[in-house]
Amino acid sequence: MEILKFKKPSYDIRIGRQFRASLVLLGIAVLFSCTKKQAQEISPELPNETETVTVQNVTYINFAKALFETKCNSCHATGRSASARWTFNGFSSVKDHAARINNVVLVTKTMPIGSTLSAKEIELLDAWFKRNTPEN
């Protein structure tokens, strides 16, 4: 009676397990790379919440400030990766670079990277720029 011997596979099963584990960890990292704050849509309401923000009354205080803090600050704050191009530090920094911001957000749509603006956010931001970026 002859005993049959099987050849060992040329690949290591452990490598397959490590690969799958790496894919799972990568998927988790990608899933959590965008924070809830970055992903949320800005709710355009006035501070006293009695009047909804419209294209006629949109200002930095009632809309644009929260938009820039949520969508831009993670990369453009002092010391962050994109602060060399433009540093967000309040109304004056936005006002000084309004034409450039308008171009990259509304014209070429190359910003914000890693996030999107809703149709309402785009409409209100466009109206804010057209109203000459009022603060209050």
Side-chain angles (χ1 to χ4, degrees), residues 20-40:
R20 282 184 293 210
S22 297
L23 283 178
V24 169
L25 290 175
L26 179 64
I28 291 170
V30 169
L31 182 66
F32 289 103
S33 66
C34 181
T35 65
K36 183 177 180 181
K37 185 176 180 182
Q38 288 174 316
Q40 73 185 18

Side-chain angles (χ1 to χ4, degrees), residues 1 3 14 26 30 34 109 123:
M1 185 173 206
I3 298 176
R14 288 178 289 163
L26 179 64
V30 169
C34 181
K109 299 181 192 254
E123 176 186 30

Side-chain angles (χ1 to χ4, degrees), residues 8-9 19 27 45-46 53 58 94-95 101 104 108 110 112 114 126:
K8 209 175 189 181
F19 180 72
E45 295 179 3
L46 293 171
V53 177
V58 64
V94 176
K95 183 80 170 170
I101 296 167
V104 297
T108 65
T110 55
D126 183 50

Side-chain angles (χ1 to χ4, degrees), residues 75-77 79-87 100:
C75 295
H76 290 281
R80 299 304 299 248
S81 60
S83 64
R85 292 191 184 109
W86 170 66
T87 302
R100 185 175 174 196

Side-chain angles (χ1 to χ4, degrees), residues 44-90:
E45 295 179 3
L46 293 171
N48 62 13
E49 297 183 21
T50 59
E51 185 179 359
T52 301
V53 177
T54 66
V55 295
Q56 289 82 23
N57 69 3
V58 64
T59 66
Y60 179 78
I61 297 299
N62 70 11
F63 172 72
K65 179 181 179 188
L67 181 87
F68 286 109
E69 287 174 350
T70 304
K71 305 288 183 168
C72 306
N73 201 39
S74 61
C75 295
H76 290 281
T78 303
R80 299 304 299 248
S81 60
S83 64
R85 292 191 184 109
W86 170 66
T87 302
F88 170 71
N89 58 10

Side-chain angles (χ1 to χ4, degrees), residues 92-107:
S92 62
S93 67
V94 176
K95 183 80 170 170
D96 292 343
H97 297 276
R100 185 175 174 196
I101 296 167
N102 182 44
N103 184 56
V104 297
V105 176
L106 299 175
V107 178

